[in-house]
Amino acid sequence: MSCPAKSCFVLVIDAQARLVPAISRRDDLVAAMDRLTRAARILGVPIRATEHCPEAIGATVSPLVDRLGSHEVLAKRHFDATREPGLADALSALERPIAVVAGVEAHVCVAQTVLGLGRLGWRVAVVEDACGSRRPEDRAVGLARLRAAGAVPVTVEALIFEWLENADHPAFREALAIVKES
């Protein structure tokens, strides 16, 4: 499956203040999600983020929250975000057939949401270097489960170049600078 920019939206799952500090390799994870969302912004790919029980787990972490408008953050209580009333409709309104998913935890909310997106007809790419769990074993099993279920594994760098399509893209230099940060 290819992931052209005009067909994708990014969904960042539960990168929240009280959850991210417990995630294995959290600094690398937040940096990857940051590169992903910055590239999406400059290349015209819509972004949405979920917050699971934000009153208890907190808001999306900085710097990600600084890039999101209030309409782009969707609160949820279900582990599978697609089961949250109105959330699937909000994603459908983007009119993009490919969900590019990142976030935490890979084996819980990311996994259940990816499976839900697939059940509802979206094609799904999972940004593996931008997904994490508290335990590395859970991350590995969660990502393997999603690959087995048909989600396509990608990396932030691979997506950026796929979204650019060629070196003549007007945002090439800006996007390349993001790639070089990793």
Side-chain angles (χ1 to χ4, degrees), residues 71-161:
H71 72 285
E72 295 173 314
V73 179
L74 310 165
K76 67 181 186 67
R77 297 195 66 77
H78 290 82
F79 300 119
D80 172 358
T82 68
R83 295 189 184 279
E84 197 66 35
L87 199 141
D89 291 338
L91 299 178
S92 291
L94 298 172
E95 298 182 347
R96 306 270 178 130
I98 301 171
V100 173
V101 181
V104 296
E105 285 192 70
H107 65 295
V108 183
C109 292
V110 170
Q112 290 186 35
T113 299
V114 166
L115 296 171
L117 289 164
R119 186 180 59 253
L120 294 174
W122 274 284
R123 291 177 287 159
V124 183
V126 176
V127 190
E128 292 199 355
D129 57 335
C131 288
S133 293
R134 287 171 293 136
R135 296 181 337 132
E137 301 84 12
D138 287 327
R139 178 185 180 277
V141 170
L143 295 176
R145 177 184 183 198
L146 296 177
R147 288 190 299 273
V152 176
V154 294
T155 64
V156 173
E157 182 172 326
L159 269 173
I160 291 172
F161 283 111

